[in-house]
Amino acid sequence: MTLESSDTEFASRYAAWAAVGQVYPQREGSPLMEFSAGGRVLYLFDRSGPYAVRPGPARLVVHGILDLTATEPKPQPEDAREELTVIGISGLEGVGEVLDVSRRSWVVRARLPLVLSSFTPLPEVRPGDWVAFRTLPLLHGFAVEDGFQT
């Protein structure tokens, strides 16, 4: 089962959920771009092509594959506080609100919007529910065409 038919189709489908942040210059030869959003610095595998995303303000769809052994629905915290921790070089662990649900993906707001997917069925949730999650490395970043860059 595939989660996307092309990088441009995936970016277009989830453009409304793109995270707004700052892209920093890539190290020469590195496939990872440094993206600062939601008070976190993420290292994303650049799915838009090498050096297609220039340094500066940007809108990126941040996509991760869920580790379902560490992912589950949970009650909304009393303070409705979203959590997001960077794990290793390019993984995440967090708690957030589900904004959108499709067959194999959730959009979750945990300090920034994240598209979280699985190759196997996901636990049943609805928009407005809260989930605790962990992603597997590597996170992927898809540039949104209508971003800040020209």
Side-chain angles (χ1 to χ4, degrees):
M1 159 128 238
T2 60
L3 297 173
E4 60 188 67
S5 55
S6 75
D7 57 328
T8 53
E9 182 272 334
F10 191 87
S12 176
R13 180 173 4 140
Y14 290 105
W17 309 111
V20 176
Q22 182 80 21
V23 172
Y24 293 97
Q26 286 178 256
R27 271 192 10 239
E28 190 62 36
S30 174
L32 299 180
M33 63 180 148
E34 189 174 343
F35 181 56
S36 176
R40 301 292 181 264
V41 176
L42 308 176
Y43 289 91
L44 308 175
F45 183 76
D46 186 352
R47 292 297 305 276
S48 302
Y51 309 106
V53 180
R54 293 188 308 268
R59 291 184 61 226
L60 300 178
V61 174
V62 178
H63 181 240
I65 301 297
L66 288 166
D67 175 351
L68 291 180
T69 65
T71 298
E72 63 183 0
K74 69 175 288 170
Q76 178 178 344
E78 285 185 25
D79 59 1
R81 194 173 120 233
E82 301 165 8
E83 299 176 19
L84 190 65
T85 303
V86 176
I87 306 293
I89 191 106
S90 186
L92 296 173
E93 187 172 75
V95 174
E97 182 181 2
V98 176
L99 303 176
D100 189 56
V101 176
S102 62
R103 186 165 173 248
R104 300 278 182 179
S105 298
W106 299 333
V107 177
V108 175
R109 184 182 60 234
R111 300 185 60 94
L112 64 138
L114 304 164
V115 178
L116 303 174
S117 301
S118 175
F119 292 104
T120 59
L122 291 164
E124 191 168 320
V125 297
R126 295 184 312 253
D129 290 348
W130 283 67
V131 293
F133 63 89
R134 183 184 312 146
T135 67
L136 301 168
L138 289 167
L139 296 169
H140 290 206
F142 296 81
V144 173
E145 294 296 321
D146 66 340
F148 300 110
Q149 302 172 21
T150 59

